[in-house]
Amino acid sequence: MPKAFATIEHSQSYYAFYDELLAHVRAGFDEVQSGVQGDAWIWIFRDGEKVAVDTFYSMQFEINSDAESALLRDVIAHIGQKYPVRHYDEPREF
């Protein structure tokens, strides 16, 4: 079951912010899948791991993973270079 580890703080609607965020994520990672279907989602893959950046459970983009991993830390760090990222004290379970 995925857990939310952090949220990306932004003032735009998630739909307006999506293209900018996606371009930033693609600049940092090789294997990225994405889409908008009511909600927006970006999946980042590396070495069999997956991290999701999505709006499925919030109006802000949350950074989700099944467990803490090197990829999760790298995604949070990369996004945090450009946008404020608020880490949850304890991962939120869905």
Side-chain angles (χ1 to χ4, degrees):
M1 191 102 191
K3 301 172 191 159
F5 286 84
T7 189
I8 303 167
E9 298 186 350
H10 55 90
S11 58
Q12 299 172 299
S13 74
Y14 70 83
Y15 188 77
F17 181 61
Y18 173 77
D19 288 331
E20 179 183 331
L21 177 60
L22 178 59
H24 181 65
V25 170
R26 285 191 187 279
F29 299 93
D30 293 329
E31 192 176 347
V32 177
Q33 296 176 8
S34 61
V36 177
Q37 294 176 316
D39 286 297
W41 54 273
I42 302 168
W43 293 343
I44 302 112
F45 298 91
R46 185 175 69 202
D47 299 330
E49 296 178 20
K50 173 186 168 188
V51 171
V53 180
D54 62 42
T55 60
F56 292 156
Y57 301 100
S58 172
M59 293 304 290
Q60 298 282 81
F61 280 94
E62 289 185 312
I63 303 171
N64 311 304
S65 182
D66 288 338
E68 190 165 342
S69 67
L71 178 58
L72 174 66
R73 290 186 295 276
D74 290 348
V75 168
I76 291 172
H78 179 73
I79 291 173
Q81 290 173 351
K82 188 168 182 178
Y83 306 105
V85 174
R86 182 172 38 94
H87 298 259
Y88 295 130
D89 291 335
E90 292 289 324
R92 290 183 30 205
E93 295 202 29
F94 305 113

